Amino acid sequence: MSPPLPWLEDECTPLPAPTKALGIDSHAPGLLAAGGQLTLRRLCEAYRNGVFPWFSQGQPVLWWSPDPRMVLPATEFRLHRSLRKTLQRFIAAPDCEVRIDTAFSDVLNACANSPREGQDGTWIVPDMQRAYTAWHGAGCVHSFETWIDGELAGGLYGVALGRMFFGESMFSRRTDASKIALAALVCFCRVQGIRLIDCQQNTSHLASLGAHEMPRAEFLRHVANTVDAEPVRDWTYHETMWTQLGLRPTLRGARA
């Protein structure tokens, strides 16, 4: 029988230690606590301790710390031949570019409204959207955007603390548009010394791109060693960053 789930009354109630999360044999592996509000203070506390919120409309805020944790090491991104060709065509096209933080609200809304296989509804509920929009305004949440023919074709968003990036969600309106954004994130992370991208949950899609599970204890050690590092100051995607994947930029200059 699982122990009672801790309830967070307010910000004065600290999150339990991640090791207190429900185990693999429970009804909700990784569930740590419930309740509280999505304030910037609470969100900062959570992510710095390897905890994230995930809940549906009508539920209290649910806080999670799964074991193992799905992660994508920036050096282990798997660039399949078909994706390499897609990226090379994208880079060469004059009407294609990657931007950072130029349409954050659009990316967030698209992620919230994109249908997911096996999911009914979205976990990016209005409270989550408001909280992460505020956190974006504070400079800790960023969007990587794939633009084709002047339109937002896909993208992703995530949380950046120190030299750690916590991926949240992605979407595509055109084939491989989210993969292009993820490839750009990987290049950016390599340039900026961000070694690990948190993917939270295990999916076959992420596994096909090089993500794998990591024991929670190892993940927490990595987070503790990186969240207090000097934060990234320049959130601009430059064409030259594509060379991190062995791709040749068109030398048309930097893009913002």
Side-chain angles (χ1 to χ4, degrees):
M1 183 175 179
S2 300
L5 190 67
W7 181 263
L8 306 179
E9 293 290 348
D10 52 37
E11 285 188 342
C12 295
T13 307
L15 284 164
T19 53
K20 300 294 185 181
L22 297 181
I24 192 69
D25 295 327
S26 73
H27 65 284
L31 183 57
L32 178 65
Q37 302 295 320
L38 294 173
T39 63
L40 297 192
R41 177 180 173 184
R42 176 68 83 190
L43 286 169
C44 225
E45 174 198 5
Y47 279 78
R48 289 174 62 85
N49 288 280
V51 177
F52 60 89
W54 185 37
F55 60 100
S56 298
Q57 189 69 29
Q59 293 181 324
V61 180
L62 301 177
W63 302 93
W64 301 79
S65 181
D67 186 15
R69 188 75 161 238
M70 194 71 166
V71 298
L72 174 59
T75 57
E76 296 179 25
F77 179 69
R78 195 171 297 153
L79 186 58
H80 298 289
R81 182 181 300 176
S82 60
L83 181 56
R84 177 180 292 276
K85 290 180 179 178
T86 296
L87 286 170
Q88 201 67 69
R89 287 194 300 268
F90 177 86
I91 295 168
D95 52 359
C96 295
E97 60 182 318
V98 168
R99 305 176 189 171
I100 300 177
D101 290 340
T102 68
F104 176 80
S105 294
D106 293 332
V107 171
L108 185 63
N109 290 334
C111 288
N113 292 295
S114 293
R116 311 285 179 183
E117 185 177 351
Q119 294 185 22
D120 182 17
T122 180
W123 58 270
I124 310 175
V125 298
D127 283 349
M128 291 279 279
Q129 294 181 47
R130 285 189 288 270
Y132 284 76
T133 297
W135 214 5
H136 168 69
C140 291
V141 182
H142 302 277
S143 59
F144 281 70
E145 308 150 9
T146 302
W147 289 82
I148 300 175
D149 297 331
E151 296 182 352
L152 180 63
L156 61 84
Y157 75 96
V159 176
L161 296 176
R163 297 288 159 156
M164 181 69 201
F165 193 90
F166 303 84
E168 291 294 312
S169 187
M170 60 177 64
F171 80 98
S172 279
R173 291 173 178 158
R174 296 201 189 184
T175 302
D176 289 337
S178 63
K179 290 182 182 179
I180 292 171
L182 179 59
L185 169 62
V186 167
C187 291
F188 183 88
C189 287
R190 291 183 182 183
V191 170
Q192 297 292 350
I194 298 172
R195 295 187 289 116
L196 202 66
I197 299 168
D198 176 33
C199 302
Q200 298 179 349
Q201 302 284 354
N202 190 340
T203 69
S204 58
H205 172 66
L206 290 169
S208 71
L209 295 171
H212 59 77
E213 292 182 332
M214 172 182 284
R216 180 171 57 207
E218 184 179 347
F219 174 76
L220 294 178
R221 283 194 296 271
H222 181 85
V223 170
N225 289 332
T226 55
V227 292
D228 288 323
E230 179 70 19
V232 175
R233 301 297 182 186
D234 182 10
W235 287 88
T236 306
Y237 195 79
H238 300 276
E239 271 195 341
T240 54
M241 292 180 176
W242 288 121
T243 60
Q244 293 294 317
L245 292 177
L247 301 168
R248 291 177 295 177
T250 58
L251 302 179
R252 289 172 293 174
R255 296 252 177 83

